[in-house]
Amino acid sequence: MQMTLRWYGSKYDTVTLKQIRQIPGVTGVISTLYGTIPGQVWEMDDILALKKEIEDAGLSLAGIESVNIHDAIKVGSPDRDMYIDNYITTLERLGQAGIHMVCYNFMPVFDWTRTELARMRPDGSTVLAYTQKAVDALDPEKMFDSIAGEMNGTVMPGWEPERMARVKELFALYKDVDDEKLFANLKYFLERIMPTCDKYDINMAIHPDDPAWSVFGLPRIIINKENILRLMQMVDNPHNGVTFCSGSYGTNLDNDLPDMIRSLKGRIHFAHVRNLKFNTPTDFEEAAHLSSDGTFDMYEIMLALYDIGFTGPIRPDHGRMIWDEVAMPGYGLYDRALGATYLNGLWEAIEKQHR
């Protein structure tokens, strides 16, 4: 596996490539053209400039997270083929630039949902958190307003103000889309892009829905073992794969994370490994990566990845805000650096045990 860190680009990220390069064992970054909008074709010059900036800092561009999917594709509207054609052009350019992994999601309206971006923990750190009770009390159109003041002046992916200004319109767009329609539209999209992925050896790695249940009545399909295996069988191509995010799948305590990993051998192209601490089954908060700080056995998760021969990029995810750092919630330097080092330590121990 290759240890990486997510990086939003020099115009958007408080963390620098120089700092990332100094984290022991981190050799690459996962990045994106953060200023682009869903449906927009990525310019080759912009892709190459991003790659060069990263490589000049002594790191590799290990993959893209994300090339966002236009809502027309998700709802299956008449103009979806135009947006799929745009997506294919972007994939072709990424492949020509030597980039072979793209993380994406197929979540309606909200890419992810949290009700707090700075919940105080007993050690004084702050974390992202979710409680269903708070969601049930909210008007969906006011969801952005409820957390906007905790973003530390950043623009968080999936919560761009221009998108949130269209929440009412987006809910109307999805009103006739249920789980089966969303599955069908995802299948259509993947079947259209697979020939391009085959030509350029691009692994598409779908990110699970977060949390792994319906929010505000919206359909959610990438939520459990049954559904993700269904998707793998629906488009049975090795380039149709998974971003295994322990935190997103782990929001549903019925999901056996190590078992899910082992069931997806050969189809996990990217991994997000993080821990959660549950107060109730529908009230959880991000924890430090250390097993004892949360609910998940991180050793067993890393062992399962090792057992299936996982060789792709991996990254720590959603770090705590510690040591008075001010950054995009979940994406500061310090706790993610600790997480990367911890995960590397687990991997080294597992490797040595198996020699």
Side-chain angles (χ1 to χ4, degrees):
M1 61 94 179
Q2 180 186 16
M3 185 58 67
T4 66
L5 214 70
R6 189 173 187 179
W7 184 65
Y8 289 99
S10 52
K11 293 182 179 178
Y12 302 97
D13 210 314
T14 59
V15 181
T16 67
L17 290 172
K18 179 181 178 181
Q19 290 169 326
I20 294 172
R21 180 69 179 82
Q22 294 171 5
I23 303 170
V26 173
T27 61
V29 298
I30 303 294
S31 193
T32 188
L33 295 182
Y34 198 31
T36 57
I37 60 174
Q40 179 180 346
V41 175
W42 289 19
E43 297 299 329
M44 187 59 134
D45 286 348
D46 294 335
I47 296 169
L48 293 175
L50 175 68
K51 186 180 182 188
K52 183 178 186 302
E53 181 181 11
I54 292 165
E55 291 178 346
D56 285 350
L59 296 160
S60 69
L61 178 52
I64 296 295
E65 183 182 352
S66 302
V67 180
N68 289 319
I69 296 175
H70 196 277
D71 290 295
I73 300 172
K74 296 179 186 179
V75 303
S77 62
D79 57 346
R80 67 175 170 180
D81 283 316
M82 176 187 73
Y83 290 109
I84 295 175
D85 288 342
N86 288 353
Y87 205 98
I88 288 170
T89 300
T90 295
L91 289 179
E92 289 173 341
R93 292 175 179 176
L94 290 171
Q96 290 162 6
I99 299 165
H100 300 290
M101 192 284 292
V102 172
C103 172
Y104 71 104
N105 74 70
F106 220 72
M107 286 182 259
V109 186
F110 303 114
D111 278 6
W112 52 273
T113 308
R114 293 291 184 272
T115 54
E116 299 166 69
L117 302 183
R119 179 183 287 183
M120 184 74 72
R121 301 196 77 210
D123 62 5
S125 63
T126 61
V127 294
L128 307 174
Y130 179 98
T131 173
Q132 189 63 42
K133 184 178 179 180
V135 170
D136 293 342
L138 274 174
D139 176 345
E141 293 181 44
K142 304 296 183 183
M143 184 72 199
F144 178 75
D145 296 339
S146 71
I147 61 172
E150 299 180 343
M151 291 185 178
N152 293 333
T154 64
V155 178
M156 300 193 70
W159 292 86
E160 297 82 2
E162 60 272 18
R163 179 173 177 80
M164 292 301 98
R166 298 175 50 234
V167 166
K168 186 174 182 179
E169 173 190 340
L170 289 169
F171 267 87
L173 189 66
Y174 284 93
K175 65 181 177 62
D176 295 323
V177 179
D178 59 12
D179 286 6
E180 289 305 311
K181 286 184 179 178
L182 199 59
F183 257 122
N185 294 338
L186 177 53
K187 181 175 184 286
Y188 183 90
F189 166 72
L190 287 170
E191 287 177 340
R192 281 286 318 277
I193 69 170
M194 279 298 111
T196 303
C197 294
D198 291 339
K199 180 178 179 180
Y200 292 100
D201 190 25
I202 296 174
N203 289 323
M204 296 298 295
I206 193 165
H207 190 284
D209 301 346
D210 190 357
W213 57 75
S214 176
V215 177
F216 300 124
L218 294 164
R220 290 289 179 94
I221 57 174
I222 310 302
I223 58 173
N224 55 28
K225 179 180 177 179
E226 177 185 1
N227 284 18
I228 195 61
L229 290 180
R230 175 184 174 183
L231 178 61
M232 297 300 99
Q233 292 159 6
M234 277 172 42
V235 182
D236 193 9
N237 183 313
H239 290 114
N240 171 33
V242 176
T243 295
F244 194 88
C245 179
S246 63
S248 297
Y249 280 123
T251 58
N252 184 344
L253 289 170
D254 290 335
N255 285 334
D256 182 332
L257 302 178
D259 173 69
M260 290 180 70
I261 290 169
R262 290 186 173 93
S263 75
L264 289 163
K265 183 176 182 178
R267 302 297 276 271
I268 297 178
H269 299 318
F270 184 27
H272 296 176
V273 181
R274 59 183 166 95
N275 207 348
L276 298 177
K277 178 175 175 58
F278 283 82
N279 301 306
T280 74
T282 57
D283 181 330
F284 60 83
E285 57 196 52
E286 311 288 356
H289 287 74
L290 191 70
S291 296
S292 60
D293 196 55
T295 299
F296 306 147
D297 188 327
M298 307 300 280
Y299 171 84
E300 291 295 338
I301 290 169
M302 295 297 284
L303 177 61
L305 288 168
Y306 181 89
D307 285 346
I308 66 168
F310 175 72
T311 58
I314 184 173
R315 68 172 179 83
D317 199 12
H318 293 196
R320 303 166 298 147
M321 276 308 150
I322 62 173
W323 303 338
D324 299 320
E325 184 176 20
V326 178
M328 183 186 295
Y331 288 97
L333 171 65
Y334 304 135
D335 200 44
R336 286 190 301 154
L338 293 175
T341 303
Y342 172 62
L343 297 177
N344 267 329
L346 288 176
W347 192 264
E348 179 183 348
I350 291 165
E351 281 188 319
K352 288 181 175 178
Q353 287 171 351
H354 282 76
R355 281 177 190 166

